[in-house]
Amino acid sequence: MSRYWRKTCLGLVAVLAVGSVAACQSGDDGGGTDTAASGPPNIAMSNSYDGNFYRQTMVKAWDLAVADATKQQLVGKNTVVNADNTANTQISQIQSMLVQDWNAIVINAASATALNGVIQKACDQGIKVVVYDSVTTSPCAYQVAFDYVALGKQEAEWVAKKLNGKGNILEIRGIAGTSVDDDIHKGIQEAFAAYPDIKIVGEVHGNWTKSVAQQAVAGILPSLPQVDAVVTQGGDGTGAALAFQAANRKLPVIIMGNRGDELRFWQEQSASGYETISSSSAPGISSIAFWIAYLLTQGTEMPKSIPGPLISILTLDDAKKWIEATPPEGVATPVYNLDYAKKLVEAANNKTAVPDSPLPGDPGYIGVYS
Amino acid sequence: MTAPTLPARLGVVPWGRASQAALPVGSLVALLAVVLALEPNASTYRGLTLILSGSTGLIFAALAQLCLATLGDIDLGVGAAVGLANVVCATWLTDNPPLGVLALLGIVAGYVLLGLVVHARQVSSIIATLGASFVWLGLGLLLLPIPGGIAPAWLTDLFALRPVVVPLPVVIAAISAAVAYFVFMRSRFGLIARGSGVSQDAIRHSGRPLIVTQLAVYALAGFCVVLSGLAVTANTTSGDVNASSGYTLLSIAAVVLGGASFGGGRIAPVGAVLGAVSLTLVTSLLAFLDVSSDYQVGAQGLVLFLVVAVRALSSRRPA
Amino acid sequence: MIVKLSGQRWIWVYAAAVVVWVVTVSAAGRGLVSTVIAAATVAAYLAIVGVGQMFVITSGSGNIDLSIAYVMTFCGFVGLRVMGGDNALLVPGLLVAAACGLVVGLVNALSIRLLRIPPIVATLSVGFVLLSGSQVLAHQGSFAPSPGLAGFTSARVLGIPWIVLVGVAVAGLAAVVLHRTAYGRRLQATGQSEPAAVLAGIRTGRVGGSTYLISGGSAGVAGVLLASYAGGAAVDLATTYQLGSIIVVVLGGSLISGGVSNVSGIWGAALFLTLLVTMLNVLHVSTAWQFIVEGLLIIAVLAAANPRSEGTTVGRGPRRG
C-alpha cells in the first residue's frame, strides 16, 4: 500500500472515531426531545470557567442538587457546559443551547455585559434564565448575586477595629478588569476611608490563586515597611502567609477566604494566639441558582434580584466545624436544598434579611464533600 | 509583469491540488455532520445562524493572524487587540462616532508601528506582539475598567440582518474567504507578501522596497482586527477587553487547521476561514456532547488533535 | 559574530533588570539586597522552565512548547501524590514528577514527528488533556508536599535561597550541554538549517524530538518544586508560565527561529520580568498603566538588544518551507 493511502486510511479511522463517540452520545439523548412540554423541566448550566477549586466546588454543589432533584423526579434533562473563561466562547455555547429544548438556563457569566445579547435571545424564546455568582446586567435574567462590596467592607471594618484604627495594610486583589475584583476593592476602600491612620502600603494582584499571590507578595515584601494586616479576596490567604514566613517577617493579620487550607492555617496559628476571620461567597450558590431556575419553571413569582448568602467565619469554633466538613483543597459551603431556596425567595419578596446559611451539623445542612 | 525569480514553492499552496483543497473542507464537513447528528434542530436556518454566529469574530481574527503568517510572523496579541477594538466600539463609536473611527484607525496605526518594530529593527514578532498585547489590554482597561458600554444600534441591526436562504454567518464567511483569496493568492500585492515570507532576498531583487509591503500587510492585519472587534461588539452587545482573549490561540489554531504553516509564505486564506468555522463548531459540539465537567477541556484537546492529525496525515508533503 | 551579538543581548536584559531594581529600591527606600533575592526566588522557577523551552526553540523555526504550564500542574499533582506528605518518599516523588514530564514530552515529540501535527497545536492539545487530568486528580484527596521539600524551597544557604542555586545549576548544565557536547552542536546545527544538518548526517528528527523530553522533564520537576513552595498543588498552579517561559527565552537573546540560544540571558530576563512586576507594584501604578508600561518595556528591551545592522540571516534566521 502506498504511503498516501496508508495515511488517508489512518485519517478516516480518526474521523470515524470522533463520529462514533458522537453517535453513541446521540443515542442516549435521542428519545428525550418531546418530554420538555409535559415532564419535569430540562435545566442546563453554562459555567464560564472550571479551572480553580472554588469553581470546582461550585460544579460539585450543582451536581449534588441535581441528584437530589432527580431522586424526587423534579428535573428532566440536565447538563453542565464549561467555557474557557472568555465571553466569546461562552456565548457560542449558550447559542448552541438555544437550538436544544431547555426550559431554563443557569449561567455563571464570564462578563458582566457581554452575555446580555444571547441572554435576551434566550428570554425571547421563553427560556427562564438565571445568572449567579458572576452576574450580568441583563434586564430579563433573574440574578442570584453576592454583595461583594459588603464582603470587602466587612473584612476591612474588622481589620480596622482589630488594629485600633491605625496600621499598615497590604491589599491583595483578584483578576484585573472583573466586576468581582472591582466590587471587593470598592468595599475595602469605603470602609478604610473612615480611618485616616490606616494606610494601604502595598497592592498586588493575586488573581485568587495561591501561587500567584505568594509570588507577588514575596516580590513586594522587601520594599514594604512593617505590614500589620493583609486584606484579601479569597484563595490568596495562605499564599501571602507563606511569603511572609519565607521572608522571616512577623505574620500580620491575614483575612482568610474560606478555603480548606486557609482555615487549617488559621487553626494551626491560633495555638500561638493568632486571631483573624475568614469570609467568602459560598460556592454552593450554584445549588440555589438551580432551585431558583426550577421554581421559575414552576411559575413561582419572585423579584429579579435574589441576594446570595455570604459565609463569614468569625470564631475559631466555627472554623473548626468547617474544617471537619471541608478538605484542604475545598471551599467551605453547604449544598442548599429546595426549602432554603424557597426561604430565600420569600425573604426577597418580603424584603427581609437573607436567611442564615446552615453550619455543618445544623439541621438542613448537606455537605459537598461528605 | 509579476515579480521575477520567485521560488517555485510559492505555487505549492493547499489550493494548488484538488486533494489538498479537500482537507479543510473535509474536516469542516465531518464536524458539521457530527454536530447535526447530535442535534438535528441545528440544521434549520435559525439553528445554523445560532451555532455559527460566534464564528464571525473568529474568522476576522484568523485572517489577521494569517496576514502575519504570510510574512512568517506570528501574532500573540490578536486577542487583546480585538478586545481593545471591542471596547472602543462599545464606548467611543457609540457616544462619539468620529472619535471612535479615529481610535479604530489608531489600532491600525498601532499595527503599522508594530510592523516597523518587527521588520525595521528585526525584533522577534512573537515577543513584539506579546508586548503589544499588554499595551492593548492596558489601553482597553483605561477606556473601560470593568465590562460595560453598549454597541452602536446600527451595528447590532447590521448583524441582525436575515438574508434569504443562506444564514448571515455563512454569507460573511463566504465573502471574507473570497476576498482574502483574491488579496493573497491572486493579487500582485499578495504575491510579493508571500514571496517576502519565503525569501526576502528574492523580493529585494525584484526592486520593490520590501518594508512597504510588510507594513501594508501589518496594516491589513490591523484592519482585520477592527473588523473582528466590530463583530464581537455586535455579538456581545457591549464592551469587555477580556472577552476575546481566547482568540489569540484560537486564531493560530484556525490558520494551522486551514493548512498554513508559520514558516512564512505558505498560507491558505480560504482554509483559515474554514478553520475558524470548524473551531466554532467544536465549541458547539462540546455543548451538545454531554461530557462530564472535568473531561470537557480534555475532549476539546482531543478533537483539535484528531482534526489536525487527520489533515496532516492525509497530506503528502513533508511537515 | 554570533557570539559577539549574543554577548550584547545578554548585557541588555541584565542592564534593564538593574535599572528596574534601582528604581524599585529607591522608590521604596529599603530592601537593596532583599528585593533582588526575593525576585530571584520567584524567577528561579521561570528560569528552570525557560531553559527547557529554550532547547525546544533552539531546535528550529516553528518548534515551541505550549504544554509547559499544564505539565507543571499535572506533574506537580502526581509528584505530591507519590510523596503523600512523607519525607521518606521525597526522592521517589521527584523522580516520578520528572518521569511524568518526560512521558508528556515523548507524546509531544511523537505527535509532532510521526503524526506531523504542528508543534503549536500538538502541545496545546496535549496540554488541554493534561488539564483535564489535573482536574480529575484534584478531586481525589489531599496533596500536601513532603515537609522536607517544602522547607527546601524557602531555605537558604549563606543568605542565598537553595532554589536559586538549583536554577543556576540547571542553567549551567544547559550551557554545558549546548556548547560543550556533540548533542548540543547537533541541536544548534539542526536549528540553523535542518536540510544542511540532514546532509551532514545528523538525525534531525531524533535531535529535535529529544528537546521536548528535556522541556517536559524540566517542567515536571519545576512543577513539583512550585507545588511544594505553594504548600500544595492546585489546578491553577502554573497558569502564568505558559507564555512566561517563551518570553524569557526570547528576551534572553535566543532566536525564536532557532539555532542560536543564550542560557545566561534566560536568568536575566526572568529577573527583569519579576523585578518589573515588583517595581510597578511598589510605584502604585494603576493596573491599566502597569500593563501598558510592561508591554512597552518588553518591546523596548528587545528592540535595544537588536542592532539594526544585522542582516536577514542572523536577525530572522533561515527559513524552511
Side-chain angles (χ1 to χ4, degrees), chain C residues 238-257:
Chain C
T239 37
T240 51
Y241 292 86
Q242 186 179 35
L243 293 178
S245 63
I246 303 170
I247 303 183
V248 289
V249 173
V250 184
L251 263 188
S254 302
L255 290 183
I256 195 75
S257 47

Side-chain angles (χ1 to χ4, degrees), chain A residues 11 22 27 36 40 53 106 136 138 186 195 217 220 229 258 262 287-288 294 308 322 330 353 368:
Chain A
F53 288 141
V106 178
T136 64
S138 165
K186 211 185 285 170
Y195 299 90
V217 174
I220 198 178
N258 292 4
E262 295 180 339
S287 53
I288 298 177
Y294 166 76
W322 279 114
V368 181

Side-chain angles (χ1 to χ4, degrees), chain A residues 3 7 49-53 56 60 173 176 200-205 207-212 214-216 218-220 222-226 242 246-247 328-329, chain C residues 24 28 30-31 34-35 38 42 45 77 116 135 138-139 141-143 154 156 226 229-241 278 281-282 284 287 291:
Chain A
R3 211 167 122 117
K7 283 178 182 164
Y49 182 56
D50 188 35
N52 60 38
F53 288 141
Q56 292 188 330
K60 219 165 166 182
R173 300 188 56 173
I200 296 189
V201 292
E203 184 184 306
V204 297
H205 281 272
N207 296 5
W208 306 312
T209 303
K210 186 155 100 176
S211 53
V212 175
Q214 185 181 6
Q215 297 193 339
I220 198 178
S223 326
L224 297 181
Q226 185 192 317
L242 287 171
E329 67 282 0
Chain C
T24 310
R30 71 183 80 229
S34 50
T35 299
V42 173
Y45 303 94
F77 266 111
R116 305 255 164 90
Q135 293 186 346
H139 288 313
S142 168
F143 296 90
S154 47
R156 299 179 179 203
L226 182 65
Y229 171 70
V235 272
D236 48 8
L237 179 74
T239 37
T240 51
Y241 292 86
T278 305
N281 280 334
V282 168
H284 280 284
T287 320
F291 281 126

Side-chain angles (χ1 to χ4, degrees), chain B residues 212-276:
Chain B
V212 174
T213 308
Q214 287 164 334
L215 292 188
V217 172
Y218 268 79
L220 195 59
F223 178 67
C224 291
V225 161
V226 169
L227 289 181
S228 178
L230 284 167
V232 168
T233 312
N235 201 28
T236 62
T237 68
S238 67
D240 179 350
V241 72
N242 290 316
S244 314
S245 54
Y247 277 5
T248 300
L249 290 179
L250 282 176
S251 65
I252 294 172
V255 168
V256 172
L257 207 56
S261 81
F262 278 91
R266 202 170 62 205
I267 55 161
V270 181
V273 172
L274 296 179

